[in-house]
Amino acid sequence: MFPTPKPVLLPNTYAFESEPMVKPTGFREYDARWLFNKEINLMGVQALGMGLGTLIAELGARKEIVTGHDFRGYSASIKYALISGLMAAGCKVHDIGLALTPMAYFAQFELDVPCVAMVTASHNDNGWTGVKMGANRPLTFGPDEMGRLKEIVLSSAFKTEAGGSYQFHENFPARYIADLTKRTKLKRKLKVVVACGNGTAGAFAPQVMEAIGCEVVPLDTELDYTFPKYNPNPEDLHMLHAIRDAVLAHKADVGLGFDGDGDRCGVVDNEGEEIFADKVGVMLARHMSAIHKDAQFVVDVKSTGLFVTDPVLQKQGATTTYWKTGHSYMKRHTNELGALAGFEKSGHFFFNKPFGRGYDDGLVSAIAICEMLDRAPGKSMADLKNALPKTWSSPTMSPHCADEAKYGVVDAVVKHFQDLQKKGEPVAGQKIRDLVTVNGVRVTVEDGSWGLVRASSNKPELVVVVESPVSEQRMRDMFEVVDKVLRTHPEVGEYNQKI
């Protein structure tokens, strides 16, 4: 019998070294995230592995699984604890070593393995760890699977069995890089800043971009899990400003920033201006729908309204569905609809054939951006951006809100705006044109300005985004309205960044 996990144990005690600790809130909507040694210990990770192996059997999947780990000081030890649990549950484990998350997704196809468990805290601060999991490539778990996994682990309902085994795949990154780069080289000589924030992508991204024909200017590509300058997060303004400075200093054509586990890509144009990922998505959608007739796209509720209103997309017959934020939700819905691609404001892009295999890969996104530039001779990244209708958009802003409180706060905010709509009362001086409540609430007023509030799926935070096609002031008006509603809830704390 394996002990039932405890929600809290104190480090440097007998109990901490003898019992599993797993805080329940670590089971998120579509992956798992904990503060290591504060919310989960190694025995807790072992319990997670046993639970995952048990769930794989319940789902009827073949009990073979790919594992890898990101570049943090504790990730390898967490992976091996996870592996011990998976093997105890009878799984054959295929370990690809230090890897990007999309490298693990690629391994599912390359090694013909149905399941994946990638140890990564993604862009979270040091101290965090987590696991991205799936049992049906190219999809990852959603709320149903995560809810069942939580039940199994917290109740210690493990089904252990003999037959577990382990195989390490030496030099696996070379196979991933070869797959990405077996394409016609770019005709256009592009100078590209490749920024990795000292995260995992630094081991692979410069090599890939050089192999497709780019002149690479490396920025913070040396691996350093202390992240001495800033978190590897291409939504973070510190990282974007560092990319801007490098682009201007080297007169680069584009700056590309990769997050901690390499499944997202941020973009800075040749003039040093950051392009939020949803606008990059519109640019790529224009490009892709010019080649593929009646293209269908999926975008998350944080994304710009241009996917619906852009005249070029309309002329080219493209259609777009707005869906729940979250890499798992987006990946699944893009797959279900057979859409050409899915674009998430955070930078998770999902390309189906012929561009990709349906999973999110920051390097596939980077290659697509370079190929878009390659097919637009004489036009810069700024030219392509400036060709879009003008909108004023905020970055993703995240006020702190405890995991135990955030969903209740969002429910109250949704009801607030629903009540205003029923009464016909104005928001930021105008009537509500549309409410989207598929994921929190996105309130759009008559002039097209909108604001979004939702609960973060992987951190104790809310998520706020605002946009206006009219003016910067109207964008700020929407933020003022949304923030005023949030300030009525004492559970909502300070923002990580604000406009």
Side-chain angles (χ1 to χ4, degrees), residues 83-109:
I83 287 171
S84 71
L86 288 165
M87 290 174 62
C91 291
K92 179 176 182 180
V93 177
H94 296 264
D95 185 2
I96 61 171
L98 180 68
L100 301 173
T101 294
M103 195 183 297
Y105 299 152
F106 166 72
Q108 291 177 271
F109 290 87

Side-chain angles (χ1 to χ4, degrees), residues 268-482:
V268 172
D269 71 20
N270 53 296
E271 296 177 349
E273 294 291 323
E274 69 214 49
I275 311 177
F276 293 136
D278 54 346
K279 299 285 182 69
V280 177
V282 176
M283 293 157 70
L284 287 169
R286 280 182 162 193
H287 163 68
M288 296 164 74
S289 60
I291 302 168
H292 298 272
K293 190 180 177 184
D294 298 326
Q296 187 174 9
F297 301 102
V298 178
V299 301
D300 77 318
V301 292
K302 288 160 60 179
S303 293
T304 177
L306 287 177
F307 283 100
V308 171
T309 60
D310 178 47
V312 174
L313 289 180
Q314 290 176 345
K315 183 181 178 183
Q316 292 174 179
T319 56
T320 299
T321 300
Y322 282 84
W323 195 241
K324 298 178 183 179
T325 293
H327 64 84
S328 183
Y329 295 129
M330 288 289 298
K331 197 171 346 191
R332 191 175 296 263
H333 206 54
T334 302
N335 181 272
E336 288 169 347
L337 295 180
L340 192 58
F343 301 110
E344 191 179 7
K345 186 179 171 68
S346 65
H348 288 278
F349 291 173
F350 313 88
F351 295 99
N352 279 324
K353 291 179 180 179
F355 298 93
R357 295 182 178 87
Y359 54 79
D360 37 341
D361 186 333
L363 282 165
V364 171
S365 302
I367 292 167
I369 289 161
C370 290
E371 289 182 341
M372 175 178 68
L373 281 168
D374 195 43
R375 287 191 280 260
K379 291 190 176 179
S380 68
M381 196 72 188
D383 291 335
L384 296 178
K385 178 197 72 178
N386 293 334
L388 299 178
K390 176 70 174 173
T391 68
W392 287 261
S393 307
S394 76
T396 299
M397 301 173 286
S398 299
H400 181 81
C401 191
D403 288 318
E404 296 84 353
K406 63 189 182 184
Y407 293 104
V409 170
V410 169
D411 287 344
V413 174
V414 171
K415 186 176 186 306
H416 172 83
F417 285 110
Q418 286 175 330
D419 289 346
L420 290 182
Q421 185 183 40
K422 285 177 187 172
K423 295 173 185 175
E425 294 185 12
V427 169
Q430 296 190 7
K431 283 187 178 178
I432 294 173
R433 189 183 79 194
D434 185 41
L435 279 185
V436 176
T437 57
V438 70
N439 187 202
V441 61
R442 175 169 166 149
V443 53
T444 305
V445 297
E446 288 175 315
D447 68 3
S449 303
W450 59 267
L452 168 79
V453 178
R454 56 176 290 273
S456 170
S457 299
N458 49 37
K459 292 181 81 173
E461 295 174 341
L462 301 180
V463 173
V464 176
V465 182
V466 291
E467 182 185 58
S468 175
V470 178
S471 66
E472 180 181 350
Q473 185 57 50
R474 287 295 294 152
M475 173 189 74
R476 292 182 179 277
D477 291 345
M478 289 303 296
F479 176 67
E480 188 178 333
V481 166
V482 168

Side-chain angles (χ1 to χ4, degrees), residues 480-494:
E480 188 178 333
V481 166
V482 168
D483 186 55
K484 191 173 181 180
V485 175
L486 291 180
R487 291 302 133 205
T488 66
H489 297 275
E491 307 95 325
V492 181
E494 293 302 311

